[in-house]
Amino acid sequence: MSQQVAVETLFVHGIGDGYLVAVTNDDERTLSARLELGTTDAGPRPAKFARRHDSGEEPLRPDRFVELARRAVRIRISEQTGRTQREELHEMLDGYQLDAKTVRTCRYCAGVGRYSPITSETAIEADGEQICPDCARRELDAELAHHDVSSTAAERLQELLLDVQDLERVKNLLSGQLDPDLTKFDEMSATTEAVDPVPVDSLGLHSGMQSLLDDRFETLLPVQSLAVQNGALDGDDQLVVSATATGKTLIGEMAGLDRLLNGEGKMLFLVPLVALANQKYEDFADEYGHLADVTIRVGASRVRGDGERFDPDADIVVGTYEGIDHALRVGQDLGDIGTVVIDEVHTLEDDDRGHRLDGLIARLKGYCENRNGGSAGGNGAAAGTQWLYLSATVGNPNWLARKLRANLVEFEERPVPIERHVTFADGQEKARVANKLVRREFDRKSSKGFRGQTIVFTNSRRRCHELSRKLEYDAAAYHAGLDYSRRKTVERQFANQDLAAVVTTAALAAGVDFPASQVIFDSLAMGIEWLTVQEFHQMLGRAGRPDYHDRGVVYVLVEPDGSYHSSMPGSEDETAFRLLKGEMEPVAMRYDETSAVEEVLANVTVAGAGAKALTERMVGDVPMKHAVGKLLEYEFIDGLSPTPLGRAVTRHFLEPGAAFTMLDGIRKGSDPYDTVADIEMRDEES
């Protein structure tokens, strides 16, 4: 090194029978050397000094060390150097009238001749000692290389490392450790929005409904008050967007029952899932059965699993979207409809089912207008019929409200805080981690006296049963493949707190009433597709109910570099942080050729020449001209009337490819099971 170059720091660290010396210059070049001291009459003095290289050592003059020390702005001795060696160094430096200060440094750095001072604010605990952040990051990176975590997950762990300053604690997260201070990602705080509560006795409802509410409440909840203040009981159409468990359902019940009891038509309450329809049917029958007849319509069958028949003349019809759409497609008379409640209306953005809900809304509005002998009036409602759309999660509510021609009632209160946690576990570890979380939660009681119960979301029915069997506390699988009586048994057991957990697929995401305090994501996929931000928020929103719990807890169990199908983009750890940080996607209706053909065919079947008007009022932009051309080509329509083939296709909700596969199988006399297999293969490929 040139003597003209200033020496910023000369650092000495004891090692073996000598010392490592690191010299830092102001041009950021460094010298790494080895020093040995010898005994002289004047005291210890440099005896050997050699520059260190990968290939060995290059001897330097011993007095070269003294030259560098004299030019150094500061001389520092590592605290990790033994007392005897430190005393020897100080004696040697005193002989040259040089001052040195002992400092805490990173041993990893010192061991390779790097000067890296540390403080209590920067030191990281590692293997019983303290090291610098750079070395800690390198150690963590080496560990992460064995787990194939994404860059996003790695950044999260690096942030935790600097935050908690303990390498082992952070590395333990990769093996499913549940240190809550480390797994906690954030907290969604409980929020309140100032809303003047509406007294129940001021509502002026029909006496039958009014007396029910008078017995239950003194004032309405905030979102209910907002809806009433914005015309919910005056027949106005509304899109109500508010978090889970804030009381949206009662808005539809108040409006629908009041109109029904005042002779203004029956109420339809529509939901996306059979499990949810069954629960709403039971609730409505219990609460309102003495005031009105209640029936249910799910799917194409007019007979339920328990033998009860669908009654189209009932006062209250609870149905799935497809159940009511099928009734329209086959021309069934649903009577005079005064109120339609569409629950979980964000289903519109679902790639597979959104177009069917969009078509159903248009067809049902057309039915109501024709039945009432009028056209849309007021704020866009079908004449004589009020429309209420409910959702906890909509990314673009103003746009959707305009498309639905409804007033927007948006309420952003969260009744209880929700802690969100992330921990890493591979497929084998997830069951063990879930078991520990379920036990820990069930062993707690809220201030309201309720045990903590858990909903575990996973991606397949098989996994539901597999995981529920591995939980030590009583748990049950719950999914659409269970028969009606089994689902009701599970619902009753959970309500009675006889179950610590239910393990489910999407069946519970849309609001089946399980008052859970904790939600665990065993998987971030449904089938072979990653969850959307909307779906994720719908599911995590099941954690924590204000009447039962003080807070909600969400755990996302992430398999580094994991996925469930080769077609899935990214990995589970990447998906986890995308969902946790993500903004709600806007509802955006996307019509490909297949969905456009299905909805236009249904509109033609229901409305004939009026199909164009129905299609134009749909939320999505449906390419009708192209769809009509395809329908003519497929011979599903003749003019604007369905052919017998087209009528069969629309009644069974078939897409054209599946219909032609079935026709081909019938014409060739193929085994029906082979035809079904061919259709399944088509679905898998698409």
Side-chain angles (χ1 to χ4, degrees):
M1 291 191 173
S2 170
Q3 294 193 6
Q4 281 72 40
V5 179
V7 174
E8 291 292 320
T9 303
L10 186 144
F11 169 65
V12 186
H13 171 67
I15 180 170
D17 57 355
Y19 304 88
L20 285 177
V21 178
V23 180
T24 304
N25 297 327
D26 61 1
D27 63 357
E28 298 185 355
R29 289 184 298 162
T30 61
L31 165 72
S32 179
R34 178 179 173 83
L35 172 69
E36 292 183 18
L37 300 182
T39 303
T40 70
D41 292 340
R45 290 293 185 269
K48 291 182 180 180
F49 191 50
R51 189 193 305 267
R52 302 172 72 220
H53 297 286
D54 292 339
S55 58
E57 296 184 347
E58 174 191 335
L60 300 169
R61 291 180 294 106
D63 60 356
R64 178 76 170 127
F65 172 82
V66 180
E67 293 175 8
L68 291 168
R70 289 187 187 283
R71 287 169 34 218
V73 175
R74 64 185 68 86
I75 300 173
R76 298 291 183 257
I77 299 172
S78 169
E79 192 179 64
Q80 284 92 341
T81 300
R83 174 184 288 184
T84 301
Q85 286 185 310
R86 289 204 306 270
E87 291 174 350
E88 182 182 46
L89 278 171
H90 280 292
E91 184 181 353
M92 181 267 293
L93 292 168
D94 286 345
Y96 295 108
Q97 296 182 322
L98 295 169
D99 292 325
K101 183 178 180 180
T102 300
V103 296
R104 294 171 63 195
T105 63
C106 170
R107 188 186 65 78
Y108 288 12
C109 287
V112 295
R114 283 197 304 269
Y115 173 54
S116 181
I118 56 176
T119 66
S120 58
E121 286 75 29
T122 62
I124 309 283
E125 294 288 333
D127 295 325
E129 58 186 329
Q130 294 183 325
I131 62 177
C132 69
D134 287 342
C135 287
R137 279 192 287 261
R138 280 191 287 270
E139 291 292 307
L140 180 57
D141 285 341
E143 182 70 21
L144 295 177
H146 297 297
H147 294 272
D148 294 323
V149 302
S150 69
S151 60
T152 306
E155 288 172 8
R156 168 67 179 167
L157 291 170
Q158 299 281 12
E159 290 171 2
L160 283 175
L161 179 66
L162 298 179
D163 187 35
V164 303
Q165 297 178 261
D166 191 320
L167 178 61
E168 293 307 310
R169 285 178 69 191
V170 174
K171 286 166 65 174
N172 285 340
L173 286 178
L174 294 167
S175 58
Q177 294 295 315
L178 295 174
D179 185 336
D181 291 333
L182 295 190
T183 60
K184 186 175 179 179
F185 179 80
D186 64 11
E187 180 171 319
M188 303 172 70
S189 302
T191 57
T192 57
E193 184 177 328
V195 176
D196 292 333
V198 172
V200 168
D201 60 13
S202 71
L203 296 176
L205 299 173
H206 185 279
S207 59
M209 188 64 184
Q210 186 69 50
S211 62
L212 278 179
L213 294 182
D214 288 340
D215 292 341
R216 294 168 61 187
F217 315 111
E218 290 186 6
T219 60
L220 295 179
L221 293 174
V223 70
Q224 298 161 355
S225 297
L226 274 179
V228 169
Q229 292 163 6
N230 283 276
L233 302 182
D234 300 322
D236 289 349
D237 292 359
Q238 290 186 347
L239 168 61
V240 182
V241 180
S242 182
T244 300
T246 51
K248 296 186 296 296
T249 300
L250 186 63
I251 298 168
E253 295 172 28
M254 287 191 298
L257 265 294
D258 184 56
R259 290 169 67 85
L260 167 68
L261 297 174
N262 283 310
E264 296 178 53
K266 66 175 64 181
M267 177 173 76
L268 264 60
F269 196 99
L270 308 185
V271 295
L273 300 172
V274 173
L276 188 52
N278 284 328
Q279 188 173 75
K280 294 298 183 187
Y281 168 74
E282 297 287 344
D283 291 345
F284 288 176
D286 289 343
E287 295 173 15
Y288 308 123
H290 65 292
L291 295 174
D293 296 327
V294 185
T295 192
I296 186 170
R297 175 65 182 263
V298 295
S301 175
R302 300 186 184 188
V303 182
R304 292 206 312 157
D306 57 4
E308 184 172 328
R309 287 187 172 275
F310 165 64
D311 178 9
D313 295 324
D315 302 315
I316 302 174
V317 178
V318 179
T320 57
Y321 304 155
E322 283 81 3
I324 298 303
D325 201 5
H326 182 269
L328 293 174
R329 294 183 187 207
V330 299
Q332 189 166 22
D333 186 355
L334 295 174
D336 295 328
I337 300 172
T339 310
V340 178
V341 182
I342 306 285
D343 202 7
E344 313 296 341
V345 72
H346 58 269
T347 303
L348 281 167
E349 67 94 28
D350 185 279
D351 287 339
D352 294 326
R353 303 180 65 196
H355 65 91
R356 288 181 179 168
L357 176 57
D358 193 16
L360 165 64
I361 292 171
R363 289 185 283 277
L364 195 51
K365 283 187 174 181
Y367 169 89
C368 293
E369 290 174 4
N370 291 333
R371 181 82 183 188
N372 294 319
S375 59
N379 62 352
T385 303
Q386 181 181 12
W387 292 76
L388 298 169
Y389 310 93
L390 312 179
S391 178
T393 53
V394 175
N396 51 345
N398 287 290
W399 176 86
L400 184 58
R402 287 196 303 273
K403 296 294 287 187
L404 293 171
R405 300 180 184 179
N407 296 329
L408 175 61
V409 176
E410 192 173 12
F411 181 66
E412 297 185 358
E413 180 181 82
R414 182 173 301 283
V416 298
I418 296 180
E419 291 181 9
R420 304 197 300 177
H421 294 254
V422 181
T423 192
F424 297 89
D426 63 25
Q428 300 299 317
E429 281 287 298
K430 284 187 175 183
R432 181 188 67 79
V433 174
N435 181 58
K436 185 174 181 179
L437 290 170
V438 167
R439 284 192 289 111
R440 189 168 72 183
E441 191 68 10
F442 197 62
D443 288 341
R444 291 175 174 156
K445 275 193 175 180
S446 72
S447 63
K448 294 147 177 95
F450 289 91
R451 284 182 174 274
Q453 292 171 278
T454 301
I455 298 172
V456 183
F457 287 111
T458 191
N459 71 319
S460 71
R461 296 178 183 180
R462 180 185 61 79
R463 178 66 172 167
C464 287
H465 293 280
E466 174 188 318
L467 190 52
S468 65
R469 288 193 294 267
K470 291 182 177 180
L471 300 179
E472 293 177 44
Y473 286 4
D474 289 338
Y478 186 96
H479 54 72
L482 301 177
D483 62 41
Y484 176 77
S485 61
R486 176 57 185 160
R487 288 200 301 269
K488 294 305 297 180
T489 297
V490 173
E491 291 168 13
R492 183 177 64 254
Q493 289 175 324
F494 198 92
N496 294 337
Q497 297 220 305
D498 296 329
L499 294 177
V502 291
V503 187
T504 184
T505 56
L508 285 184
V512 176
D513 189 17
F514 281 70
S517 58
Q518 177 172 258
V519 164
I520 298 173
F521 288 88
D522 172 66
S523 165
L524 291 175
M526 282 297 161
I528 59 171
E529 292 184 357
W530 296 122
L531 299 175
T532 65
V533 175
Q534 264 95 341
E535 290 166 338
F536 182 64
H537 278 265
Q538 277 289 128
M539 294 175 181
L540 71 83
R542 311 311 303 166
R545 294 283 295 275
D547 296 335
Y548 296 82
H549 312 120
D550 306 305
R551 91 295 183 246
V553 183
V554 174
Y555 271 87
V556 181
L557 309 188
V558 175
E559 181 173 4
D561 204 36
S563 69
Y564 300 90
H565 193 270
S566 59
S567 65
M568 300 174 74
S571 60
E572 190 162 58
D573 49 337
E574 289 176 312
T575 300
F577 292 103
R578 175 179 61 79
L579 294 175
L580 287 163
K581 297 176 181 179
E583 295 292 326
M584 211 74 72
E585 297 106 332
V587 172
M589 293 299 305
R590 293 172 288 272
Y591 277 90
D592 58 18
E593 181 178 289
T594 298
S595 56
V597 165
E598 180 180 333
E599 296 313 315
V600 173
L601 176 58
N603 288 344
V604 168
T605 303
V606 170
K612 185 175 185 293
L614 290 187
T615 304
E616 288 176 347
R617 76 189 308 168
M618 292 167 68
V619 172
D621 185 10
V622 184
M624 182 170 179
K625 185 175 181 180
H626 179 73
V628 168
K630 286 294 180 181
L631 290 171
L632 291 168
E633 177 187 334
Y634 298 154
E635 297 183 356
F636 287 173
I637 61 174
D638 181 6
L640 281 178
S641 297
T643 63
L645 174 58
R647 196 175 295 278
V649 167
T650 198
R651 286 183 174 187
H652 294 283
F653 295 83
L654 296 175
E655 54 96 2
F660 290 127
T661 300
M662 293 175 67
L663 280 173
D664 190 53
I666 293 169
R667 288 166 179 159
K668 292 179 178 177
S670 302
D671 187 295
Y673 290 107
D674 291 337
T675 302
V676 170
D678 289 342
I679 293 173
E680 290 295 321
M681 288 181 65
R682 278 181 46 80
D683 291 342
E684 183 70 22
E685 289 170 359
S686 63

